[in-house]
Amino acid sequence: MDMQARHTLTASERSRLLPFVVASGEISPRDQRDLMERPFFSLSKTKRTTPILYAAGDTRVEVFGMPEHGMATIWDADVLIWAASQIVEAENLGLTTSRFLRFTPYQLLTGIGRQTGARDYGLLRAALARLQSTVVATTIRHGQNWRRQQFSWITEWEICASRNGRAAGVEIVIPEWLYRGVIDRSLVLAIDPAYFRLTGGIERWLYRVARKHAGRQPTGWTFEIGHLHQKSGSLMRPSDFAIQIRRAAASQPLPGYRLSIERAGVRELLRILPTDLSTHPVDNYVNSIRTSHASTIGTSHAGLSGLHTHKPQLSLWPETAIPALNLSNLDSNSYVDGKRRSADNPSCPSIAPFTGPGDGP
């Protein structure tokens, strides 16, 4: 399907969905479990157009970046983490949410620890463009009669400007696949706010792996470094990737976790152990899979759902008031107490070595 046809199909999404207007206030960041353990994003700030092709048993993840913008990066994923966090918090309060979110750039940027200067607003525009142009195809959480789902991280977005030309409001629509993975509480984990301060792509990816797999287990979790390389989707050579993992173990950058390198015969392993356990579990049950609250008739400025906040920030729209579960993953290649657990298929297709700049800041 060409890009023009895709645009025709998605252009009216905001007219069919009731908008969820994000309120002000700090909330605990949450991440979506599937995004934490599979290679969905580029780990490099250098533009990447080489696809990610990952296979583990029946699980497939394919990610394609368009030449104009490149693939969405793990820093761009902060937008999705922030959106997921807002949806979870609102659902906790019994408010109606939607795939269609309205918010101010200030809310988003401060929520993910960014500055709010002109450059940061420009970087936000670039991130939204990459998130929309990146195409993802996966068999994860496929429907009963469907084997593969294809979508973009953002199906539609618009930045509204004030009279002086400054970005004053943002509208985005996230895909149904992601929305369903957020409102199903078993698929969401709280993460440490310090995650947003991690500067390296591999460090950020390692934290998400640690939070997803090691959690608060006293014995932590252990991976073969070669297997971690496959799970990361990195374009680095396996030997260079291993060097980066050793450097991370030496510098200990992950909040709440300690890394150590171990040996099991000829295999080099990374053990991830929880330390101060500064992250908090996601609380309050939210009903699992349901629809995205589509309306039958409406406009992109349809009436708002939820309660109005009594302390709104500067926004184009009135705001609604928005005042963990850690399941052990069995689908991983790990060693616990010297015994190998059920694993992702170690013989999955690998990506050709990359000869350009390495992953990282």
Side-chain angles (χ1 to χ4, degrees):
M1 182 182 296
D2 58 34
M3 294 298 292
Q4 183 176 1
R6 285 184 65 236
H7 179 75
T8 301
L9 289 176
T10 62
S12 64
E13 281 205 289
R14 283 183 293 172
S15 67
R16 296 185 295 103
L17 298 169
L18 291 175
F20 165 47
V21 180
V22 174
S24 58
E26 294 184 2
I27 62 172
S28 173
R30 278 90 165 188
D31 207 346
Q32 207 282 324
R33 290 167 58 94
D34 296 319
L35 273 59
M36 299 171 80
E37 67 168 318
R38 307 294 184 188
F40 281 105
F41 302 98
S42 170
L43 304 185
S44 174
K45 291 181 179 177
T46 303
K47 181 190 290 188
R48 172 172 176 170
T49 57
T50 303
I52 292 174
L53 304 174
Y54 174 82
D58 293 333
T59 297
R60 298 288 188 276
V61 173
E62 300 175 359
V63 186
F64 304 91
M66 299 298 104
E68 180 180 0
H69 301 290
M71 184 182 297
T73 71
I74 198 165
W75 294 271
D76 300 335
D78 289 356
V79 175
L80 304 180
I81 293 174
W82 183 84
S85 305
Q86 295 292 340
I87 291 171
V88 170
E89 194 72 15
E91 294 276 344
N92 282 346
L93 294 177
L95 300 178
T96 300
T97 61
S98 169
R99 295 191 294 116
F100 174 15
L101 287 80
R102 285 176 174 167
F103 52 89
T104 66
Y106 180 86
Q107 288 174 308
L108 169 61
L109 292 172
T110 57
I112 59 177
R114 307 286 178 89
Q115 300 298 314
T116 56
R119 178 177 179 272
D120 301 282
Y121 286 103
L123 292 174
L124 173 59
R125 285 187 175 90
L128 294 175
R130 282 189 295 271
L131 289 165
Q132 184 184 36
S133 64
T134 297
V135 176
V136 180
T138 183
T139 59
I140 297 175
R141 289 190 282 114
H142 54 77
Q144 182 178 1
N145 300 315
W146 300 89
R147 288 294 301 160
R148 171 186 166 113
Q149 298 182 70
Q150 184 166 309
F151 52 87
S152 295
W153 292 120
I154 291 178
T155 62
E156 191 174 343
W157 67 275
E158 183 176 1
I159 293 182
C160 305
S162 61
R163 291 181 179 179
N164 62 7
R166 185 178 178 85
V170 182
E171 295 183 345
I172 67 172
V173 179
I174 62 175
E176 186 76 17
W177 184 90
L178 178 59
Y179 182 74
R180 287 173 175 261
V182 170
I183 62 174
D184 183 345
R185 184 49 46 83
S186 67
L187 298 177
V188 178
L189 287 174
I191 62 172
D192 196 308
Y195 166 79
F196 296 119
R197 296 196 293 270
L198 295 174
T199 59
I202 288 181
E203 293 173 356
R204 282 173 157 248
W205 177 78
L206 270 178
Y207 174 81
R208 299 173 89 184
V209 169
R211 182 68 185 95
K212 167 64 175 63
H213 291 279
R216 297 175 182 81
Q217 300 179 84
T219 57
W221 205 271
T222 308
F223 288 96
E224 284 188 79
I225 291 181
H227 179 66
L228 279 176
H229 179 257
Q230 291 180 332
K231 286 174 70 70
S232 72
S234 170
L235 287 174
M236 299 181 75
R237 295 179 300 178
S239 58
D240 292 335
F241 180 86
I243 290 174
Q244 294 299 319
I245 297 298
R246 295 183 203 116
R247 287 176 177 172
S251 60
Q252 300 297 334
L254 305 190
Y257 294 94
R258 181 169 182 80
L259 308 176
S260 62
I261 301 297
E262 300 180 359
R263 298 281 179 177
V266 297
R267 296 187 299 271
E268 187 174 23
L269 312 174
L270 177 70
R271 180 175 290 275
I272 306 172
L273 288 170
T275 55
D276 58 8
L277 306 181
S278 57
T279 51
H280 299 283
V282 174
D283 52 3
N284 297 336
Y285 176 75
V286 170
N287 292 334
S288 58
I289 305 304
R290 58 189 179 193
T291 62
S292 58
H293 305 292
S295 59
T296 54
I297 299 176
T299 67
S300 62
H301 300 285
L304 307 179
S305 60
L307 303 175
H308 291 288
T309 179
H310 62 284
K311 293 182 179 179
Q313 292 183 355
L314 174 63
S315 173
L316 298 184
W317 319 281
E319 293 177 340
T320 54
I322 297 181
L325 182 67
N326 183 16
L327 302 179
S328 175
N329 176 52
L330 298 181
D331 183 19
S332 66
N333 185 17
S334 65
Y335 288 80
V336 178
D337 298 328
K339 297 181 180 180
R340 184 169 184 164
R341 294 192 178 183
S342 58
D344 290 346
N345 182 4
S347 61
C348 64
S350 59
I351 301 174
F354 179 55
T355 57
D359 296 347

